[in-house]
Amino acid sequence: MSLRETFENNKDRRYIMFGGKGGLGKTTFSAATAFWLAQNGHKVLVFSVDPQASLSDIFQRDIFGKGPVEIVHNLYAQEIDADSHIRQYQDQIRKKILDMYGLEQIPEEIEHYIQAASAEPAMEESAIFDAVVDIVVGGEYDYYIYDLVPLGHALYYLSMAKVYDEWINRITRLRQEMREHEEMVARIKRQKTTEEDHILTELQYIKDRINKSSSILTDRQKTAFFFVVVPEEMIILDTEKAAQLFAKFDVPIAGYVVNRVLPDALSSQNIPPYLQNRMKMQGHYLEEVDRIFGKNVIARVPELERDVTGLAMIEKLADIMYGDGRMRASHA
Ligand SMILES: Nc1ncnc2c1ncn2[C@@H]1O[C@H](COP(=O)(O)OP(=O)(O)OP(=O)(O)O)[C@@H](O)[C@H]1O
Ligand SMILES: [Mg+2]
């Protein structure tokens, strides 16, 4: 099956992720795929939480922290600025404290505490996680393309959904038990029903959001996760290990895309021994990729003559990946 067919045959899959080790082409493929889908009349959002602002680089537009920005008709790109989300968090906390205690100003000690808490890596992670949940549950676009950070980190986010969920389950249960208890006491005291439990409602709300987003991300019908690999020994080994981990988190692996394949046409030309050797070595690892990942290898993408930045190069790559110019994997 080709990359194009995996889209055409699975029209319900509207959440697309490209994952893989650092620097292999996740952002490049995310942009090219988004471009192709937009050209085909779908409204697409490609987004990332990468502080490196690599979508800004590839689209040659400063979009960092600016919300969804329209790049071309139907194609929107968004880069989440974790720091600004943390600032929003802080403001919310301040506002809650002011309201709750009827204060005019945040006491210095508390302000100090808020600042310290924000420096915690966990705060940044949860701010990012929250922003991703917001995007995913939004539902305004036909396609959501999540340009992932390198593997380890991506797994972390996915596992976070599971951990969050369990944690919230436990608290919700505890709250519920407490409320039943309170209600009983209230009945004994012949009081009216206890006041509505705001905390429980809040927890339920968070739980619903997380459930919804993690169920989207692991739903075989709605989600496709593509692994980006290159024909090199270490990358193949690491990808194999990562794929096993991803399977544990029920991530629906839709296929492997091999990037940076030296064009076959080169071999018929008069090329120096250096390049001949590299091509021979690549040939070996391409066979390895096919042997290990089998029919799940759905495309080979050639190494282009220059970096993929700017719309012209993105379009060129999209044509190769999805148009007639695409290369077929040997198992396709
Ligand atoms: N097929 C290709 N031909 C030529 N250049 C490519 C190709 N694929 C990727 N590149 C270039 O390789 C570099 C890394 O690609 P990219 O940024 O997409 O990787 P990434 O997996 O998103 O990296 P990171 O893990 O840092 O997010 C970029 O400069 C990109 O233009
Ligand atoms: Mg990237």
mmCIF file of all heavy atoms in Angstrom, residues 277-315:
data_model
loop_
_atom_site.group_PDB
_atom_site.id
_atom_site.type_symbol
_atom_site.label_atom_id
_atom_site.label_comp_id
_atom_site.label_asym_id
_atom_site.label_seq_id
_atom_site.Cartn_x
_atom_site.Cartn_y
_atom_site.Cartn_z
ATOM 1 N N ASN A 277 29.802 3.461 -2.954
ATOM 2 C CA ASN A 277 29.814 2.748 -1.670
ATOM 3 C C ASN A 277 28.619 3.108 -0.806
ATOM 4 O O ASN A 277 28.005 2.248 -0.196
ATOM 5 C CB ASN A 277 31.095 3.076 -0.904
ATOM 6 C CG ASN A 277 32.202 2.131 -1.286
ATOM 7 O OD1 ASN A 277 31.930 0.994 -1.685
ATOM 8 N ND2 ASN A 277 33.421 2.590 -1.178
ATOM 9 N N ARG A 278 28.347 4.404 -0.738
ATOM 10 C CA ARG A 278 27.227 4.839 0.094
ATOM 11 C C ARG A 278 25.918 4.234 -0.408
ATOM 12 O O ARG A 278 25.060 3.847 0.380
ATOM 13 C CB ARG A 278 27.125 6.370 0.117
ATOM 14 C CG ARG A 278 28.280 7.028 0.813
ATOM 15 C CD ARG A 278 27.870 8.091 1.807
ATOM 16 N NE ARG A 278 26.728 7.766 2.639
ATOM 17 C CZ ARG A 278 26.795 7.550 3.952
ATOM 18 N NH1 ARG A 278 27.941 7.577 4.578
ATOM 19 N NH2 ARG A 278 25.712 7.304 4.646
ATOM 20 N N MET A 279 25.812 4.160 -1.727
ATOM 21 C CA MET A 279 24.574 3.610 -2.284
ATOM 22 C C MET A 279 24.456 2.119 -1.998
ATOM 23 O O MET A 279 23.374 1.615 -1.713
ATOM 24 C CB MET A 279 24.498 3.872 -3.788
ATOM 25 C CG MET A 279 24.258 5.351 -4.079
ATOM 26 S SD MET A 279 23.719 5.661 -5.756
ATOM 27 C CE MET A 279 22.074 4.974 -5.752
ATOM 28 N N LYS A 280 25.588 1.435 -2.044
ATOM 29 C CA LYS A 280 25.579 0.003 -1.776
ATOM 30 C C LYS A 280 25.187 -0.252 -0.316
ATOM 31 O O LYS A 280 24.359 -1.105 0.000
ATOM 32 C CB LYS A 280 26.967 -0.591 -2.054
ATOM 33 C CG LYS A 280 26.907 -2.031 -2.521
ATOM 34 C CD LYS A 280 28.264 -2.508 -2.994
ATOM 35 C CE LYS A 280 28.771 -3.574 -2.035
ATOM 36 N NZ LYS A 280 30.177 -3.913 -2.209
ATOM 37 N N MET A 281 25.766 0.574 0.558
ATOM 38 C CA MET A 281 25.468 0.442 1.971
ATOM 39 C C MET A 281 23.983 0.726 2.240
ATOM 40 O O MET A 281 23.322 -0.010 2.957
ATOM 41 C CB MET A 281 26.333 1.440 2.742
ATOM 42 C CG MET A 281 26.444 1.154 4.206
ATOM 43 S SD MET A 281 27.560 2.351 4.980
ATOM 44 C CE MET A 281 26.530 3.784 5.077
ATOM 45 N N GLN A 282 23.487 1.776 1.582
ATOM 46 C CA GLN A 282 22.067 2.105 1.755
ATOM 47 C C GLN A 282 21.188 0.962 1.274
ATOM 48 O O GLN A 282 20.186 0.632 1.910
ATOM 49 C CB GLN A 282 21.728 3.383 0.992
ATOM 50 C CG GLN A 282 21.233 4.433 1.913
ATOM 51 C CD GLN A 282 20.456 5.523 1.230
ATOM 52 O OE1 GLN A 282 19.980 5.407 0.098
ATOM 53 N NE2 GLN A 282 20.292 6.605 1.944
ATOM 54 N N GLY A 283 21.589 0.396 0.126
ATOM 55 C CA GLY A 283 20.823 -0.732 -0.419
ATOM 56 C C GLY A 283 20.668 -1.837 0.612
ATOM 57 O O GLY A 283 19.581 -2.383 0.806
ATOM 58 N N HIS A 284 21.768 -2.101 1.317
ATOM 59 C CA HIS A 284 21.747 -3.144 2.348
ATOM 60 C C HIS A 284 20.735 -2.786 3.449
ATOM 61 O O HIS A 284 19.920 -3.612 3.859
ATOM 62 C CB HIS A 284 23.153 -3.308 2.920
ATOM 63 C CG HIS A 284 23.190 -4.115 4.171
ATOM 64 N ND1 HIS A 284 22.937 -5.475 4.193
ATOM 65 C CD2 HIS A 284 23.421 -3.750 5.460
ATOM 66 C CE1 HIS A 284 23.011 -5.912 5.443
ATOM 67 N NE2 HIS A 284 23.305 -4.885 6.231
ATOM 68 N N TYR A 285 20.806 -1.534 3.920
ATOM 69 C CA TYR A 285 19.910 -1.154 5.018
ATOM 70 C C TYR A 285 18.453 -1.010 4.566
ATOM 71 O O TYR A 285 17.538 -1.217 5.357
ATOM 72 C CB TYR A 285 20.422 0.107 5.720
ATOM 73 C CG TYR A 285 21.650 -0.199 6.537
ATOM 74 C CD1 TYR A 285 22.859 0.440 6.287
ATOM 75 C CD2 TYR A 285 21.617 -1.178 7.531
ATOM 76 C CE1 TYR A 285 23.993 0.125 7.012
ATOM 77 C CE2 TYR A 285 22.742 -1.495 8.256
ATOM 78 C CZ TYR A 285 23.922 -0.843 7.998
ATOM 79 O OH TYR A 285 25.036 -1.169 8.720
ATOM 80 N N LEU A 286 18.267 -0.685 3.301
ATOM 81 C CA LEU A 286 16.887 -0.652 2.785
ATOM 82 C C LEU A 286 16.280 -2.052 2.839
ATOM 83 O O LEU A 286 15.111 -2.225 3.205
ATOM 84 C CB LEU A 286 16.853 -0.109 1.349
ATOM 85 C CG LEU A 286 17.013 1.398 1.212
ATOM 86 C CD1 LEU A 286 17.198 1.787 -0.255
ATOM 87 C CD2 LEU A 286 15.808 2.132 1.811
ATOM 88 N N GLU A 287 17.117 -3.046 2.503
ATOM 89 C CA GLU A 287 16.642 -4.437 2.604
ATOM 90 C C GLU A 287 16.331 -4.785 4.052
ATOM 91 O O GLU A 287 15.337 -5.450 4.335
ATOM 92 C CB GLU A 287 17.711 -5.401 2.054
ATOM 93 C CG GLU A 287 17.681 -5.527 0.547
ATOM 94 C CD GLU A 287 18.874 -6.329 0.015
ATOM 95 O OE1 GLU A 287 19.447 -7.141 0.792
ATOM 96 O OE2 GLU A 287 19.227 -6.112 -1.156
ATOM 97 N N GLU A 288 17.206 -4.330 4.955
ATOM 98 C CA GLU A 288 16.980 -4.563 6.384
ATOM 99 C C GLU A 288 15.635 -3.981 6.825
ATOM 100 O O GLU A 288 14.877 -4.620 7.545
ATOM 101 C CB GLU A 288 18.102 -3.920 7.212
ATOM 102 C CG GLU A 288 19.365 -4.738 7.290
ATOM 103 C CD GLU A 288 19.153 -6.005 8.097
ATOM 104 O OE1 GLU A 288 19.005 -5.926 9.321
ATOM 105 O OE2 GLU A 288 19.115 -7.073 7.456
ATOM 106 N N VAL A 289 15.392 -2.744 6.404
ATOM 107 C CA VAL A 289 14.134 -2.078 6.772
ATOM 108 C C VAL A 289 12.957 -2.911 6.286
ATOM 109 O O VAL A 289 12.001 -3.168 7.032
ATOM 110 C CB VAL A 289 14.072 -0.652 6.174
ATOM 111 C CG1 VAL A 289 12.668 -0.068 6.294
ATOM 112 C CG2 VAL A 289 15.073 0.265 6.853
ATOM 113 N N ASP A 290 13.026 -3.368 5.043
ATOM 114 C CA ASP A 290 11.943 -4.182 4.486
ATOM 115 C C ASP A 290 11.803 -5.513 5.224
ATOM 116 O O ASP A 290 10.700 -5.996 5.448
ATOM 117 C CB ASP A 290 12.194 -4.459 2.994
ATOM 118 C CG ASP A 290 11.860 -3.251 2.133
ATOM 119 O OD1 ASP A 290 11.248 -2.308 2.668
ATOM 120 O OD2 ASP A 290 12.217 -3.237 0.940
ATOM 121 N N ARG A 291 12.951 -6.089 5.594
ATOM 122 C CA ARG A 291 12.913 -7.384 6.282
ATOM 123 C C ARG A 291 12.255 -7.229 7.659
ATOM 124 O O ARG A 291 11.415 -8.017 8.053
ATOM 125 C CB ARG A 291 14.343 -7.930 6.431
ATOM 126 C CG ARG A 291 14.428 -9.335 7.015
ATOM 127 C CD ARG A 291 15.880 -9.799 7.120
ATOM 128 N NE ARG A 291 16.683 -8.982 8.027
ATOM 129 C CZ ARG A 291 16.625 -9.050 9.354
ATOM 130 N NH1 ARG A 291 15.806 -9.900 9.943
ATOM 131 N NH2 ARG A 291 17.386 -8.270 10.102
ATOM 132 N N ILE A 292 12.637 -6.157 8.372
ATOM 133 C CA ILE A 292 12.153 -5.990 9.751
ATOM 134 C C ILE A 292 10.707 -5.485 9.796
ATOM 135 O O ILE A 292 9.887 -5.989 10.540
ATOM 136 C CB ILE A 292 13.084 -5.037 10.528
ATOM 137 C CG1 ILE A 292 14.461 -5.687 10.684
ATOM 138 C CG2 ILE A 292 12.503 -4.705 11.899
ATOM 139 C CD1 ILE A 292 15.534 -4.751 11.179
ATOM 140 N N PHE A 293 10.405 -4.476 8.968
ATOM 141 C CA PHE A 293 9.075 -3.862 9.071
ATOM 142 C C PHE A 293 8.101 -4.362 8.006
ATOM 143 O O PHE A 293 6.919 -4.017 8.031
ATOM 144 C CB PHE A 293 9.196 -2.335 9.042
ATOM 145 C CG PHE A 293 10.115 -1.800 10.106
ATOM 146 C CD1 PHE A 293 11.309 -1.178 9.780
ATOM 147 C CD2 PHE A 293 9.783 -1.930 11.447
ATOM 148 C CE1 PHE A 293 12.173 -0.702 10.764
ATOM 149 C CE2 PHE A 293 10.630 -1.460 12.448
ATOM 150 C CZ PHE A 293 11.828 -0.842 12.098
ATOM 151 N N GLY A 294 8.627 -5.154 7.085
ATOM 152 C CA GLY A 294 7.770 -5.865 6.126
ATOM 153 C C GLY A 294 6.813 -4.983 5.356
ATOM 154 O O GLY A 294 7.187 -3.909 4.888
ATOM 155 N N LYS A 295 5.580 -5.424 5.276
ATOM 156 C CA LYS A 295 4.635 -4.700 4.428
ATOM 157 C C LYS A 295 4.178 -3.389 5.065
ATOM 158 O O LYS A 295 3.447 -2.615 4.462
ATOM 159 C CB LYS A 295 3.445 -5.579 4.059
ATOM 160 C CG LYS A 295 2.616 -6.072 5.216
ATOM 161 C CD LYS A 295 1.408 -6.813 4.683
ATOM 162 C CE LYS A 295 0.612 -7.559 5.734
ATOM 163 N NZ LYS A 295 0.596 -7.051 7.090
ATOM 164 N N ASN A 296 4.622 -3.152 6.296
ATOM 165 C CA ASN A 296 4.296 -1.864 6.921
ATOM 166 C C ASN A 296 5.159 -0.719 6.397
ATOM 167 O O ASN A 296 4.941 0.433 6.747
ATOM 168 C CB ASN A 296 4.446 -1.953 8.436
ATOM 169 C CG ASN A 296 3.395 -2.864 9.037
ATOM 170 O OD1 ASN A 296 2.268 -2.918 8.556
ATOM 171 N ND2 ASN A 296 3.778 -3.610 10.059
ATOM 172 N N VAL A 297 6.163 -1.053 5.589
ATOM 173 C CA VAL A 297 6.954 0.006 4.945
ATOM 174 C C VAL A 297 6.137 0.514 3.767
ATOM 175 O O VAL A 297 5.918 -0.197 2.796
ATOM 176 C CB VAL A 297 8.318 -0.524 4.449
ATOM 177 C CG1 VAL A 297 9.100 0.588 3.773
ATOM 178 C CG2 VAL A 297 9.104 -1.124 5.600
ATOM 179 N N ILE A 298 5.629 1.747 3.888
ATOM 180 C CA ILE A 298 4.679 2.175 2.862
ATOM 181 C C ILE A 298 5.243 3.190 1.885
ATOM 182 O O ILE A 298 4.617 3.489 0.888
ATOM 183 C CB ILE A 298 3.380 2.740 3.487
ATOM 184 C CG1 ILE A 298 3.711 3.781 4.531
ATOM 185 C CG2 ILE A 298 2.540 1.618 4.071
ATOM 186 C CD1 ILE A 298 2.479 4.448 5.071
ATOM 187 N N ALA A 299 6.424 3.722 2.137
ATOM 188 C CA ALA A 299 6.989 4.653 1.159
ATOM 189 C C ALA A 299 8.483 4.821 1.354
ATOM 190 O O ALA A 299 9.000 4.685 2.463
ATOM 191 C CB ALA A 299 6.301 6.009 1.260
ATOM 192 N N ARG A 300 9.140 5.114 0.246
ATOM 193 C CA ARG A 300 10.541 5.531 0.286
ATOM 194 C C ARG A 300 10.594 6.934 -0.291
ATOM 195 O O ARG A 300 10.064 7.180 -1.372
ATOM 196 C CB ARG A 300 11.394 4.608 -0.569
ATOM 197 C CG ARG A 300 11.654 3.265 0.066
ATOM 198 C CD ARG A 300 12.512 2.422 -0.836
ATOM 199 N NE ARG A 300 12.745 1.110 -0.256
ATOM 200 C CZ ARG A 300 13.432 0.159 -0.871
ATOM 201 N NH1 ARG A 300 13.940 0.378 -2.083
ATOM 202 N NH2 ARG A 300 13.609 -1.007 -0.293
ATOM 203 N N VAL A 301 11.219 7.810 0.445
ATOM 204 C CA VAL A 301 11.279 9.208 0.011
ATOM 205 C C VAL A 301 12.726 9.553 -0.322
ATOM 206 O O VAL A 301 13.624 9.308 0.499
ATOM 207 C CB VAL A 301 10.724 10.141 1.108
ATOM 208 C CG1 VAL A 301 10.835 11.595 0.702
ATOM 209 C CG2 VAL A 301 9.279 9.772 1.428
ATOM 210 N N PRO A 302 12.967 10.090 -1.491
ATOM 211 C CA PRO A 302 14.352 10.348 -1.888
ATOM 212 C C PRO A 302 14.966 11.532 -1.152
ATOM 213 O O PRO A 302 14.278 12.437 -0.692
ATOM 214 C CB PRO A 302 14.228 10.672 -3.380
ATOM 215 C CG PRO A 302 12.858 11.221 -3.539
ATOM 216 C CD PRO A 302 11.998 10.496 -2.518
ATOM 217 N N GLU A 303 16.265 11.489 -1.055
ATOM 218 C CA GLU A 303 17.036 12.623 -0.567
ATOM 219 C C GLU A 303 16.981 13.690 -1.661
ATOM 220 O O GLU A 303 17.356 13.429 -2.803
ATOM 221 C CB GLU A 303 18.470 12.138 -0.342
ATOM 222 C CG GLU A 303 19.489 13.210 -0.149
ATOM 223 C CD GLU A 303 19.973 13.259 1.283
ATOM 224 O OE1 GLU A 303 20.241 12.195 1.855
ATOM 225 O OE2 GLU A 303 20.069 14.367 1.817
ATOM 226 N N LEU A 304 16.497 14.873 -1.314
ATOM 227 C CA LEU A 304 16.410 15.926 -2.324
ATOM 228 C C LEU A 304 17.721 16.701 -2.421
ATOM 229 O O LEU A 304 18.612 16.527 -1.586
ATOM 230 C CB LEU A 304 15.243 16.873 -2.011
ATOM 231 C CG LEU A 304 13.864 16.210 -1.988
ATOM 232 C CD1 LEU A 304 12.769 17.246 -1.777
ATOM 233 C CD2 LEU A 304 13.602 15.424 -3.266
ATOM 234 N N GLU A 305 17.793 17.557 -3.418
ATOM 235 C CA GLU A 305 19.058 18.250 -3.686
ATOM 236 C C GLU A 305 19.368 19.325 -2.654
ATOM 237 O O GLU A 305 20.496 19.802 -2.566
ATOM 238 C CB GLU A 305 19.036 18.840 -5.106
ATOM 239 C CG GLU A 305 18.086 20.009 -5.341
ATOM 240 C CD GLU A 305 16.640 19.590 -5.580
ATOM 241 O OE1 GLU A 305 16.328 18.392 -5.396
ATOM 242 O OE2 GLU A 305 15.810 20.454 -5.923
ATOM 243 N N ARG A 306 18.362 19.685 -1.848
ATOM 244 C CA ARG A 306 18.606 20.674 -0.788
ATOM 245 C C ARG A 306 17.570 20.505 0.315
ATOM 246 O O ARG A 306 16.626 19.721 0.186
ATOM 247 C CB ARG A 306 18.548 22.100 -1.349
ATOM 248 C CG ARG A 306 17.328 22.392 -2.225
ATOM 249 C CD ARG A 306 17.005 23.860 -2.254
ATOM 250 N NE ARG A 306 16.458 24.244 -0.953
ATOM 251 C CZ ARG A 306 15.662 25.299 -0.771
ATOM 252 N NH1 ARG A 306 15.361 26.075 -1.777
ATOM 253 N NH2 ARG A 306 15.171 25.574 0.422
ATOM 254 N N ASP A 307 17.767 21.234 1.426
ATOM 255 C CA ASP A 307 16.827 21.185 2.546
ATOM 256 C C ASP A 307 15.418 21.519 2.089
ATOM 257 O O ASP A 307 15.233 22.281 1.135
ATOM 258 C CB ASP A 307 17.231 22.230 3.599
ATOM 259 C CG ASP A 307 18.297 21.700 4.538
ATOM 260 O OD1 ASP A 307 18.719 20.544 4.368
ATOM 261 O OD2 ASP A 307 18.690 22.464 5.432
ATOM 262 N N VAL A 308 14.450 20.972 2.813
ATOM 263 C CA VAL A 308 13.070 21.275 2.477
ATOM 264 C C VAL A 308 12.595 22.450 3.336
ATOM 265 O O VAL A 308 12.200 22.286 4.483
ATOM 266 C CB VAL A 308 12.164 20.045 2.683
ATOM 267 C CG1 VAL A 308 10.746 20.352 2.243
ATOM 268 C CG2 VAL A 308 12.717 18.850 1.916
ATOM 269 N N THR A 309 12.718 23.640 2.782
ATOM 270 C CA THR A 309 12.147 24.822 3.425
ATOM 271 C C THR A 309 11.479 25.659 2.356
ATOM 272 O O THR A 309 11.935 25.695 1.205
ATOM 273 C CB THR A 309 13.204 25.706 4.130
ATOM 274 O OG1 THR A 309 14.354 25.798 3.286
ATOM 275 C CG2 THR A 309 13.634 25.126 5.464
ATOM 276 N N GLY A 310 10.404 26.313 2.737
ATOM 277 C CA GLY A 310 9.662 27.139 1.783
ATOM 278 C C GLY A 310 8.634 26.312 1.030
ATOM 279 O O GLY A 310 8.782 25.092 0.871
ATOM 280 N N LEU A 311 7.592 27.002 0.575
ATOM 281 C CA LEU A 311 6.455 26.299 -0.033
ATOM 282 C C LEU A 311 6.821 25.546 -1.302
ATOM 283 O O LEU A 311 6.293 24.466 -1.555
ATOM 284 C CB LEU A 311 5.320 27.290 -0.311
ATOM 285 C CG LEU A 311 4.518 27.697 0.933
ATOM 286 C CD1 LEU A 311 3.501 28.771 0.594
ATOM 287 C CD2 LEU A 311 3.825 26.484 1.562
ATOM 288 N N ALA A 312 7.751 26.091 -2.097
ATOM 289 C CA ALA A 312 8.093 25.425 -3.359
ATOM 290 C C ALA A 312 8.683 24.035 -3.090
ATOM 291 O O ALA A 312 8.297 23.052 -3.736
ATOM 292 C CB ALA A 312 9.068 26.282 -4.154
ATOM 293 N N MET A 313 9.603 23.956 -2.127
ATOM 294 C CA MET A 313 10.193 22.653 -1.800
ATOM 295 C C MET A 313 9.173 21.733 -1.138
ATOM 296 O O MET A 313 9.162 20.526 -1.374
ATOM 297 C CB MET A 313 11.419 22.834 -0.885
ATOM 298 C CG MET A 313 12.706 23.217 -1.571
ATOM 299 S SD MET A 313 13.155 22.160 -2.966
ATOM 300 C CE MET A 313 14.039 20.814 -2.163
ATOM 301 N N ILE A 314 8.311 22.307 -0.301
ATOM 302 C CA ILE A 314 7.277 21.490 0.351
ATOM 303 C C ILE A 314 6.362 20.881 -0.707
ATOM 304 O O ILE A 314 6.035 19.694 -0.666
ATOM 305 C CB ILE A 314 6.457 22.346 1.356
ATOM 306 C CG1 ILE A 314 7.343 22.777 2.524
ATOM 307 C CG2 ILE A 314 5.245 21.571 1.864
ATOM 308 C CD1 ILE A 314 6.701 23.774 3.467
ATOM 309 N N GLU A 315 6.002 21.706 -1.688
ATOM 310 C CA GLU A 315 5.130 21.218 -2.758
ATOM 311 C C GLU A 315 5.828 20.116 -3.566
ATOM 312 O O GLU A 315 5.231 19.092 -3.894
ATOM 313 C CB GLU A 315 4.721 22.371 -3.686
ATOM 314 C CG GLU A 315 3.807 21.902 -4.804
ATOM 315 C CD GLU A 315 3.128 23.061 -5.544
ATOM 316 O OE1 GLU A 315 3.613 24.210 -5.395
ATOM 317 O OE2 GLU A 315 2.149 22.794 -6.245
#
